[in-house]
Amino acid sequence: IGLKSIFSIAAVIKLTNSSSLSASTQVGFLNIKNKWIKGLIDLVIPTAYASTIPFNNILAFDSNGVAIPNPLVTDVNVFIGAITLDPTGTYVYLGIEDHQNANMFSDYRSLAGSKCSLYRINKSTGEALCLANSSQYDLYNPSTNQQMLGNTSESFIKFDAAGNGYLIMFAQRTNYGSGGTEKQRLVKIDTNGNLSIVRDSSTGYARGLAYSKSGKMFYSEDAWFSISGGTSSAFIFDPVNSTFQNLNINTSGNSVVSDITGQVYISTGNSLYSLDQIGMRLDLIYQGGDPVNWMTRSQSGRILVQHSSGNIYSLKSDGRDLVASIGVMPLSRTKNDVSDLFYPPIATSGDYMVAKGTDLDGLGQFCAVRLTDKKSRCSKPSDSAPTYLSVAIVGVKGFVFYESGTQNKMVSFDIASFIDGVSPDPTPTVSLAGDGSMVAAISMRPPITFVADLTSVTTATSDSSITVSNPVSDTYTYLSFTSASSIAGVVPTDLGLKNSSGSTVDAKFKIVDKVIYAAATDTSGTKTSGFQTLGSTNDYSLVFPSSYTAPALTNGIGTKTGYFPVIQRSSIMYLDFSAPVVNLDLAALQLTDATGASVPSTISMAKEGLRLEIRVKDSDAANLTGFKILPTGSVYKLTLPTRVRLPGQTFLSPFDRTQIVFTTTS
């Protein structure tokens, strides 16, 4: 296909429509030939960038986040079904399914002979080596095979500790369908790029492959349909010893996924199991009359399951948690008949999910769910009896594609504002991407981060005083306590106020040179300034810490219209890096304390990417800054998004997450 690569300066390589892609930085290289291809261009790439270069769906960015034009050039249009990076960061693997591309593109279809189905590209030199052609091994594409579609957030190649890769491919493929000789095998790619069949069963064909615990993998087979007496089975594959431990379970037609820890989950339709990898047995999570329609893994490693009732659960090894109940999945076609891309009923990205369901009247609806607090909102297009097709998440937007009559339509919406009720129900438009199958298939794949530039991290914490003012002015009383000399050795938050009866009065304070100002807060809730207008006969006294020797003070009182500025302390934690941090999704960062509990915070980037600034939020409403004062010696952990890793970090699986552990210093 005439493939040439320019990956040497690429820090990030991703498939078009990756969930973190920003349309403003995209460079287009799509040829407008097919209507549904043109729709994809209009949806994610500005028309001004469109060129005559044949279509492929690869984008790249350098270490500064600048788009690299046309990092992959081909002589014909081609849809790349899978991409991954090897553990060393040396090679980029590209998987291309011949059958799918022959269906989609006439110029690809006109190529004579076998085409390359698996490329290995040297990232530094750009050298592209074909590891397999379509008559030897053809890609078993997760986009086109429903049983593996839930695994598209996982690398299509699984790597062991030695750097060898494992994947499922069609081997010796000479025809398609039941009349051909195609058969799926478990294939190994050694570190030199040589392919070999690891397991070639005479009674089953490869079906599922997922990471499991202790560096091993879960592997399953289905009965080979043309062999009498064929069996289905599952194994724990040990790549170190090349052994398969038979689990003695029937996995025919099952869906298999694993979470971020390597915990394996299996669906048999009416039952859900977790795999006990010590006792080598299946532990039942659910069994009943509500079959599983779909299993998928979010990019954070969370396993989500949609039942036929429309109930969606998050799985854990000892059970499941209800995430949302959105009704029975409405009538919809299974896949695009041209591309073979399946229409997913669920799309996930970070903390959000978009899914298809029905309301209480049995009418089709689409719903968006925030996974962190399970808050959801559902809506439906204004068209009568829409046939729902794909759902997708691209960036911060949700997309729902459906058919109304003979016309493909879509709705798009900002997910967060939609869920929170800030935005109205989205208005249907003519679909820019046909049935959305291509958008949905690609957008579920996370970006691959090559370099995070986090070579070393130093931390510091400092306290500072922040002036907080109420935004709405009003009339209030201020009390003044004046000393003969400047007041030192005490801060506003150390002070207190009592009335003539000795009762404590809630108040805010400010120190300006020789004067301490105090304002009593309003308890009625009617003062927009937040402070009271006091009677002139009230007597108040200032309370100092017992360890502080207070100076002689002269009391005064005054009334002012405006707002009372309050100075309060807060802490800020600094993480300084030795090189600029690029392509880091701040919204995906997770701060936890020493116990692992989530810590609400705000995180921002400063000093042109060299510093992260973290402020811990305060749940005390009286703290008007909204941020806490942190005691020295507090331990915090900052978890980076999936697939961001430090140079030299040991590779375990595509879902490992880097944690930066640091301690407050002041």
Side-chain angles (χ1 to χ4, degrees), residues 383-457:
D383 306 83
S384 61
T387 300
Y388 287 82
L389 303 173
S390 285
V391 292
I393 297 176
V394 181
V396 298
K397 284 187 171 293
F399 291 86
V400 179
F401 300 91
Y402 64 97
E403 187 178 80
S404 178
T406 60
Q407 193 173 38
N408 284 327
K409 290 193 173 184
M410 60 177 267
V411 293
S412 65
F413 50 94
D414 180 279
I415 301 176
S417 60
F418 175 76
I419 291 175
D420 291 329
V422 177
S423 61
D425 289 340
T427 302
T429 62
V430 175
S431 174
L432 297 176
D435 62 1
S437 60
M438 191 169 185
V439 178
I442 304 171
S443 67
M444 289 192 297
R445 292 189 174 86
I448 296 172
T449 302
F450 291 159
V451 179
D453 286 332
L454 309 181
T455 52
S456 65
V457 182

Side-chain angles (χ1 to χ4, degrees), residues 312 323-326 352-359 365-371 373-380 400 412-427:
I312 299 175
V323 173
S325 183
I326 61 173
Y352 294 101
M353 173 181 70
V354 175
K356 300 182 290 187
T358 53
D359 63 14
Q365 65 179 0
F366 60 89
C367 302
V369 182
R370 185 161 46 225
L371 299 176
D373 59 8
K374 301 181 183 178
K375 185 176 182 180
S376 65
R377 179 184 171 190
C378 298
S379 180
K380 56 180 68 66
V400 179
S412 65
F413 50 94
D414 180 279
I415 301 176
S417 60
F418 175 76
I419 291 175
D420 291 329
V422 177
S423 61
D425 289 340
T427 302

Side-chain angles (χ1 to χ4, degrees), residues 130-144:
C130 181
L131 301 184
N133 65 60
S134 56
S135 63
Q136 300 170 305
Y137 300 95
D138 198 9
L139 180 68
Y140 182 70
N141 192 343
S143 299
T144 64

Side-chain angles (χ1 to χ4, degrees), residues 176-514:
Y176 302 104
S178 59
T181 59
E182 61 181 11
K183 187 178 179 183
Q184 293 98 321
R185 275 93 166 186
L186 181 60
V187 175
K188 175 182 178 180
I189 310 170
D190 67 22
T191 54
N192 294 318
N194 300 312
L195 268 66
S196 60
I197 295 175
V198 179
R199 182 175 173 84
D200 184 11
S201 171
S202 61
T203 59
Y205 63 97
R207 172 58 70 191
L209 184 65
Y211 282 108
S212 60
K213 297 181 182 296
S214 304
K216 299 179 182 180
M217 301 177 194
F218 176 93
Y219 167 73
S220 64
E221 294 177 343
D222 266 6
W224 179 233
F225 59 82
S226 64
I227 297 176
S228 177
T231 60
S232 298
S233 53
F235 308 86
I236 292 295
F237 168 50
D238 182 353
V240 175
N241 301 308
S242 297
T243 57
F244 291 82
Q245 183 176 358
N246 197 324
L247 297 174
N248 297 311
I249 56 176
N250 188 325
T251 60
S252 179
N254 296 342
S255 296
V256 179
V257 291
S258 61
D259 65 15
I260 194 171
T261 69
Q263 178 62 50
V264 177
Y265 299 91
I266 301 171
S267 163
T268 62
N270 290 332
S271 302
L272 275 170
Y273 299 91
S274 64
L275 176 63
D276 182 335
Q277 298 181 42
I278 298 177
M280 293 301 172
R281 68 176 187 273
L282 291 180
D283 292 334
L284 184 66
I285 294 178
Y286 168 81
Q287 188 173 47
D290 191 5
V292 173
N293 279 353
W294 199 265
M295 294 180 70
T296 190
R297 174 179 35 229
S298 70
Q299 294 174 13
S300 62
R302 184 199 307 256
I303 304 301
L304 297 172
V305 173
Q306 184 186 44
H307 289 258
S308 60
S309 65
N311 288 338
I312 299 175
Y313 294 88
S314 175
L315 296 188
K316 50 187 179 181
S317 59
D318 59 349
R320 56 184 187 158
D321 292 325
L322 182 65
V323 173
S325 183
I326 61 173
V328 179
M329 191 174 69
L331 176 66
S332 60
R333 287 194 298 274
T334 306
K335 65 177 182 177
N336 180 300
D337 293 331
V338 175
S339 66
D340 281 345
L341 291 169
F342 277 82
Y343 301 140
I346 298 175
T348 63
S349 177
D351 292 329
Y352 294 101
M353 173 181 70
V354 175
K356 300 182 290 187
T358 53
D359 63 14
L360 296 177
D361 296 323
L363 300 176
Q365 65 179 0
F366 60 89
C367 302
V369 182
R370 185 161 46 225
L371 299 176
T372 51
D373 59 8
K374 301 181 183 178
K375 185 176 182 180
S376 65
R377 179 184 171 190
C378 298
S379 180
K380 56 180 68 66
S382 56
D383 306 83
S384 61
T387 300
Y388 287 82
L389 303 173
S390 285
V391 292
I393 297 176
V394 181
V396 298
K397 284 187 171 293
F399 291 86
V400 179
F401 300 91
Y402 64 97
E403 187 178 80
S404 178
T406 60
Q407 193 173 38
N408 284 327
K409 290 193 173 184
M410 60 177 267
V411 293
S412 65
F413 50 94
D414 180 279
I415 301 176
S417 60
F418 175 76
I419 291 175
D420 291 329
V422 177
S423 61
D425 289 340
T427 302
T429 62
V430 175
S431 174
L432 297 176
D435 62 1
S437 60
M438 191 169 185
V439 178
I442 304 171
S443 67
M444 289 192 297
R445 292 189 174 86
I448 296 172
T449 302
F450 291 159
V451 179
D453 286 332
L454 309 181
T455 52
S456 65
V457 182
T458 58
T459 66
T461 311
S462 68
D463 295 339
S464 62
S465 295
I466 298 177
T467 300
V468 181
S469 300
N470 288 291
V472 181
S473 63
D474 201 348
T475 301
Y476 65 92
T477 302
Y478 68 86
L479 307 172
S480 62
F481 303 87
T482 306
S483 169
S485 59
S486 296
I487 297 171
V490 68
V491 295
T493 52
D494 291 338
L495 301 173
L497 189 70
K498 288 188 177 181
N499 59 21
S500 57
S501 63
S503 300
T504 299
V505 177
D506 187 21
K508 297 298 180 183
F509 305 89
K510 180 181 180 182
I511 302 175
V512 180
D513 192 20
K514 301 178 182 181

